[in-house]
Amino acid sequence: MSEQNVVAKTDVVLVGAGIMSATLGAILRQLQPDWSITTFERLDAAAAESSDPWNNAGTGHSALCELNYTPAKGDGVDISKAVNVNEQFQVSRQFWAYAVDNGILTDPKEFINPIPHVSFVHGADNVKYLRARYDALAGHPLFAGMEYSESEDFFAERLPLMAKGRDYSDPVALNWTESGTDVDFGALTKQLLGYVGKSGGQVFFGHEVRNLTKQSDGSWLVKVENLRTGAKKTVNAKFVFVGAGGGALHLLQKSGIQEAKGFGGFPVSGQFLRCTNPELIAQHRAKVYGKAAVGAPPMSVPHLDTRVINGRQGLLFGPYAGWSPKFLKNGKVTDLPGSVKPNNLMSMLGVGVTELGLTKYLIGELMQSPADRIGTLREFVPRATGGDWELITAGQRVQVIRKKGNGGVLEFGTAVVNAEDGTIAGLLGASPGASTAVPAMLDVLQRCFPREFQAWTPKLQQMVPSLGLKLSDNPDLFQQVWDWSTRSLELGDVPARVPAHAAPEVESATV
């Protein structure tokens, strides 16, 4: 690196050492090994914010169990979002398999493990909804192998921890998919970033990007401060990617690009109950998602979640929403007020008016006592007691506020923002987030490098054989890439997927 009066040059600057930057860096090392890549991370470790395994649920969002992706529609269920999310996850899964085969990733069991994905409901109306969801999904190629049951015996066999003490006079139903996975995005990020560094990229921890200034030749001056020494440096980059999680909005605003104007952010923090009793942890091996309470936002979907972190099984329940004006877990209380600009003021005020339900929900969550939280957990674990669980604060999420008319709208998703000339791009938003890192970064490459992208396509098709195709429309190709990725990612214990025409019969005590 250089002193203040000398400007270092690099082809690519990656801001943030999370899953997005690590993914983009690894892909670019494969596509353009001659390009120089420099990564700056303000913290002292990779994946220390939202990509940290205890700061997210690690679901590997593939819409197998998340009911917010399959809303009721009339007497049926709309599965379009679920299909889209699953398609994106399959792209990520293919790249990870390629990365293992080609030495980019070293040990798949460090970051991905087979864990069943389960949807759980109770109450007659919800049971009817879940049956409709199963009917809509079970015949789809991407969801083959899903099981449905209302049986008490099935429930007790598969979910013993949830079955003990349960009153079955309140009917229950499950959608069960054996082929789900748990993903440690922290371990995945560290492996990818390790590859970027070993293959010639530079990675600087404890360095914060303070400002971005566009130059007349289209390049960017990136001003960086070493947080340990206070030394300031300037780097000239042809392309900048802002993958700084909640910190991305501030930097995109500082860049001055037209495309970032009007965007705002609404921070929401999450808390989980983490099980401390090894006997209970051993009784549950599944990711079980329920339905969000009426009026609650999609991000509040409750789940009892098996994690595999550092080779050890853990168990989380949540999320319980919290609130802080910080945009990062390690952020500042001035983050939210500092993000308000003349160009997004009306957007943010508009959301304040239209999202009164979210405000009411957050106030209710903040007022919960420890006993209230255990009471919520008992919907899933009827015999839960406070002594077996500890409250942990998870990652901070910043939901996107996008300009709409004279006001704004709050979006619970992920948005790529890039300058028209393709010299800078950033990622805003949250779920499904990390699970869609590969398709999101391919989107960045296509938007920002349209000429190069055509030349890169053959290589990209080696990384992602389904590139440009919908696996939904190509079931034979889907089976091929599924079998390949299952072998490469060492998910061999996952049973082969059942063809759509042979979906499991309904096992039910009442049907």
Side-chain angles (χ1 to χ4, degrees):
M1 290 295 289
S2 61
E3 295 301 326
Q4 177 66 46
N5 59 344
V6 179
V7 178
K9 288 185 177 292
T10 187
D11 291 310
V12 176
V13 159
L14 304 175
V15 184
I19 185 62
M20 297 297 174
S21 292
T23 299
L24 182 58
I27 293 174
L28 282 173
R29 295 310 290 167
Q30 288 284 298
L31 298 175
Q32 292 288 162
D34 58 322
W35 283 9
S36 52
I37 299 176
T38 305
T39 304
F40 294 109
E41 167 58 51
R42 64 192 288 267
L43 301 178
D44 292 325
E49 275 281 353
S50 296
S51 301
D52 180 274
W54 292 116
N55 287 346
N56 62 67
T59 304
H61 285 287
S62 44
L64 297 173
C65 58
E66 306 94 324
L67 300 179
N68 54 306
Y69 295 144
T70 51
K73 187 177 182 180
D75 292 331
V77 174
D78 181 358
I79 67 170
S80 57
K81 187 170 184 179
V83 171
N84 183 55
V85 169
N86 193 295
E87 290 271 10
Q88 293 179 74
F89 183 72
Q90 300 306 327
V91 171
S92 291
R93 186 176 152 128
Q94 289 172 69
F95 173 72
W96 300 338
Y98 167 88
V100 169
D101 290 349
N102 289 273
I104 298 168
L105 294 171
T106 54
D107 185 359
K109 289 196 178 299
E110 281 190 1
F111 70 86
I112 188 166
N113 287 277
I115 298 289
H117 284 203
V118 185
S119 303
F120 155 66
V121 298
H122 60 90
D125 289 343
N126 289 330
V127 168
K128 181 180 178 182
Y129 156 78
L130 199 68
R131 174 59 196 262
R133 180 183 188 269
Y134 169 79
D135 289 342
L137 288 175
H140 193 283
L142 300 187
F143 296 87
M146 179 180 287
E147 300 174 80
Y148 174 86
S149 179
E150 299 171 24
S151 162
E152 296 177 24
D153 291 339
F154 183 98
F155 195 108
E157 177 191 347
R158 301 289 181 95
L159 299 171
L161 182 63
M162 294 179 60
K164 290 176 182 177
R166 183 165 298 279
D167 179 5
Y168 288 104
S169 65
D170 182 25
V172 298
L174 302 175
N175 280 172
W176 185 285
T177 304
E178 193 71 20
S179 56
T181 51
D182 173 75
V183 184
D184 180 340
F185 287 105
L188 175 60
T189 298
K190 290 170 183 175
Q191 287 194 31
L192 290 171
L193 209 58
Y195 162 74
V196 173
K198 290 175 184 176
S199 60
Q202 292 184 301
V203 183
F204 295 93
F205 295 106
H207 282 68
E208 183 170 18
V209 173
R210 296 290 196 181
N211 208 350
L212 301 164
T213 307
K214 184 76 170 286
Q215 302 300 288
S216 58
D217 64 355
S219 66
W220 290 86
L221 284 185
V222 182
K223 294 191 175 181
V224 186
E225 181 178 344
N226 184 329
L227 298 180
R228 300 187 190 99
T229 67
K232 296 178 172 59
K233 305 176 188 297
T234 302
V235 180
N236 180 268
K238 296 176 183 176
F239 173 73
V240 176
F241 174 70
V242 185
L249 179 60
H250 282 303
L251 286 175
L252 288 171
Q253 289 175 331
K254 286 184 176 182
S255 75
I257 63 171
Q258 185 66 32
E259 292 77 7
K261 296 186 185 303
F263 276 98
F266 184 81
V268 179
S269 61
Q271 295 179 311
F272 283 89
L273 288 174
R274 179 166 60 188
C275 189
T276 58
N277 186 333
E279 292 183 7
L280 297 184
I281 294 170
Q283 293 175 41
H284 184 88
R285 189 173 175 86
K287 291 181 175 292
V288 182
Y289 275 59
K291 287 191 77 174
V294 176
M299 62 188 173
S300 66
V301 173
H303 44 97
L304 186 64
D305 205 326
T306 294
R307 303 302 321 276
V308 181
I309 299 171
N310 296 325
R312 296 183 61 186
Q313 184 169 315
L315 186 60
L316 294 175
F317 178 78
Y320 300 94
W323 192 84
S324 164
K326 296 179 180 180
F327 277 9
L328 292 163
K329 192 173 180 179
N330 294 282
K332 302 173 182 176
V333 294
T334 55
D335 286 345
L336 176 59
S339 73
V340 180
K341 308 293 181 186
N343 62 67
N344 68 9
L345 177 61
M346 296 307 296
S347 303
M348 297 184 75
L349 288 176
V351 165
V353 173
T354 59
E355 296 291 340
L356 293 177
L358 174 59
T359 303
K360 182 179 178 181
Y361 164 76
L362 287 175
I363 292 172
E365 289 283 290
L366 292 169
M367 293 178 66
Q368 281 196 333
S369 67
D372 292 333
R373 296 189 186 97
I374 294 297
T376 303
L377 169 61
R378 286 182 182 142
E379 181 183 351
F380 283 69
V381 184
R383 292 182 177 172
T385 60
D388 294 324
W389 302 80
E390 63 180 357
L391 187 68
I392 64 170
T393 300
Q396 190 81 350
R397 301 292 186 266
V398 179
Q399 310 299 333
V400 174
I401 295 176
R402 191 189 295 265
K403 187 176 182 181
K404 184 177 182 180
N406 294 324
V409 60
L410 190 66
E411 296 182 352
F412 297 96
T414 307
V416 173
V417 179
N418 65 280
E420 186 177 7
D421 65 1
T423 59
I424 187 171
L427 203 71
L428 301 175
S431 183
S435 302
T436 64
V438 177
M441 294 306 96
L442 293 178
D443 185 22
V444 167
L445 292 175
Q446 191 164 19
R447 290 179 183 217
C448 296
F449 300 97
R451 285 179 294 182
E452 293 90 341
F453 196 86
Q454 187 172 358
W456 290 339
T457 297
K459 182 68 174 179
L460 288 170
Q461 287 174 330
Q462 292 178 29
M463 301 183 199
V464 182
S466 71
L467 185 72
L469 301 173
K470 286 187 177 295
L471 290 171
S472 303
D473 301 330
N474 296 272
D476 290 340
L477 175 60
F478 173 53
Q479 193 64 52
Q480 290 175 31
V481 299
W482 178 267
D483 292 345
W484 158 58
S485 59
T486 297
R487 288 192 301 271
S488 294
L489 296 173
E490 300 180 20
L491 299 171
D493 292 338
V494 176
R497 297 173 71 84
V498 181
H501 62 270
E505 294 294 322
V506 174
E507 179 190 347
S508 173
T510 58
V511 174

